[in-house]
Amino acid sequence: MTGKILKGIAGFYYVHATDGNLYECKAKGVFRNRHLKPLVGDDVDITILDEVEKKGNIDEILPRKNALIRPSVANVDQALVLFSITHPEPNLNLLDRFLVMMEVQEVPVNVCFNKIDLTGGEKKLELKRIYETAGYPVYFTSTRENQGIEEIKALIQGKTTVLAGPSGVGKSSLTNLLHPQAEMETGTISERIQRGKHTTRHSELFEMGRNTYMMDTPGFSSMYIEDMECGRLKDYFPEFESYEENCRFLGCVHIGERDCGVKDAVEEGKISRNRYENYRLFYQELKEKRRY
């Protein structure tokens, strides 16, 4: 029988099978020998050991469409990265790191800013300009006021979506609105440090409807760009591409070169300066890594 892993805790994997039941399974030792670990989102073949207790074994992990490292999940159709628009202020450096990571793994990303009930429209317009110019769909929600939720419901329909973002931005609250049965602990913002408490302990897929799954992931507060040649980084900033034909030098990395179309676009306001400065920072980090 085949199924999809919805949750993995302490060596047990909970598989939603084609018969509609949820089975508690263990992975065979052969996976350890092959250095292969089942991931949430994996499609698997299982053997039923106990029909009454709903227990089984995972016999085979079926071919993956993709596999992410952090969050650990397989067969993702898209990511929805959620930041608060305020309280706490959005860390755009961290957001851009996440976007690069998803670009590397060729996972389409949608950007969502929550808590719009707490701020004015000017900030919304600025964030929308930055990220739509970069090629990412941008959504705005208020889980408190139930604003923008229907758009998110339409976005995730028929897909497996990984929901990611820092703690305290409303991921669990959004999941509860989209799928009330999740009954996830929402937590509160620490008044002292203005960061959220980690309320999600493990990755888990929730069946939101027919062929529709969403994963709420443990919050992250830092993320390191995958090890890559620093010259490749520019390929993961989609907004650069249309201006690179104006660069004087073939292979321009848009840092120190003269007559650079990307730098000109930044000066003209066609590319976000904030995004470009993050690009420069990531480039330097990768360059420093290559020295050691």
Side-chain angles (χ1 to χ4, degrees):
M1 187 181 298
T2 60
K4 182 180 286 288
I5 297 176
L6 300 188
K7 179 169 60 174
I9 301 178
F12 290 95
Y13 300 92
Y14 297 85
V15 178
H16 182 251
T18 51
D19 66 359
N21 290 311
L22 188 68
Y23 293 91
E24 181 184 87
C25 299
K26 297 209 75 171
K28 286 189 171 181
V30 66
F31 296 121
R32 285 193 298 274
N33 298 336
R34 289 155 54 186
H35 304 289
L36 183 61
K37 182 180 179 181
L39 296 176
V40 171
D42 269 331
D43 295 311
V44 294
D45 284 329
I46 63 173
T47 297
I48 309 304
L49 303 178
D50 190 326
E51 277 285 2
V52 177
E53 296 294 326
K54 299 292 185 290
K55 294 184 183 295
N57 275 338
I58 295 176
D59 299 323
E60 190 65 43
I61 298 172
L62 301 181
R64 292 167 173 163
K65 175 165 47 179
N66 52 39
L68 309 189
I69 298 171
R70 185 176 184 181
S72 294
V73 60
N75 301 317
V76 171
D77 293 312
Q78 62 182 359
L80 177 63
V81 57
L82 185 71
F83 278 70
S84 59
I85 199 166
T86 188
H87 294 89
E89 291 293 308
N91 182 338
L92 300 186
N93 179 287
L94 182 58
L95 173 53
D96 287 343
R97 289 175 189 272
F98 184 87
L99 294 177
V100 169
M101 187 180 78
M102 293 295 104
E103 288 286 344
V104 169
Q105 299 178 94
E106 299 182 346
V107 176
V109 183
N110 302 276
V111 178
C112 182
F113 293 99
N114 189 34
K115 305 186 184 180
I116 59 171
D117 53 299
L118 300 180
T119 189
E122 189 173 324
K123 198 167 186 180
K124 275 180 61 176
L125 290 174
E126 175 63 12
L127 291 169
K128 186 178 179 70
R129 185 190 65 79
I130 290 173
Y131 288 99
E132 284 193 346
T133 299
Y136 299 101
V138 180
Y139 296 84
F140 295 95
T141 57
S142 168
T143 54
R144 179 182 294 179
E145 303 291 338
N146 206 22
Q147 296 179 44
I149 306 304
E150 291 304 314
E151 288 86 346
I152 302 300
K153 284 182 180 179
L155 174 69
I156 68 173
Q157 187 62 40
K159 296 179 179 178
T160 296
T161 303
V162 57
L163 176 63
S167 297
V169 300
K171 297 193 312 299
S172 296
S173 297
L174 179 61
T175 302
N176 286 338
L177 283 174
L178 297 171
H179 181 61
Q181 293 80 7
E183 297 179 352
M184 304 193 73
E185 178 188 5
T186 56
T188 57
I189 298 293
S190 166
E191 290 297 329
R192 184 170 65 86
I193 60 173
Q194 285 288 291
R195 284 193 297 189
K197 298 176 182 178
H198 290 262
T199 57
T200 303
R201 310 297 185 206
H202 54 268
S203 296
E204 180 173 357
L205 276 183
F206 295 100
E207 188 181 17
M208 318 293 279
R210 182 174 174 80
N211 297 321
T212 302
Y213 297 92
M214 175 172 274
M215 173 191 285
D216 185 30
T217 64
F220 56 80
S221 57
S222 63
M223 184 175 289
Y224 298 96
I225 299 296
E226 298 284 338
D227 188 25
M228 70 173 81
E229 292 288 342
C230 53
R232 290 180 53 214
L233 179 65
K234 62 184 175 62
D235 299 333
Y236 304 117
F237 280 73
E239 66 268 45
F240 289 2
E241 184 178 2
S242 60
Y243 300 103
E244 289 181 328
E245 63 184 17
N246 299 323
C247 294
R248 179 178 180 183
F249 299 105
L250 190 65
C252 179
V253 296
H254 323 309
I255 300 291
E257 300 92 339
R258 296 170 56 189
D259 301 326
C260 171
V262 169
K263 290 196 293 184
D264 289 345
V266 173
E267 292 302 321
E268 294 165 10
K270 296 175 181 176
I271 290 176
S272 160
R273 185 173 295 277
N274 188 284
R275 285 265 298 168
Y276 176 71
E277 290 303 327
N278 282 337
Y279 165 75
R280 286 172 57 92
L281 179 63
F282 302 162
Y283 182 91
Q284 192 61 37
E285 287 178 7
L286 289 171
K287 191 175 180 180
E288 291 294 327
K289 278 184 182 180
R290 305 303 294 183
R291 292 180 180 177
Y292 298 101

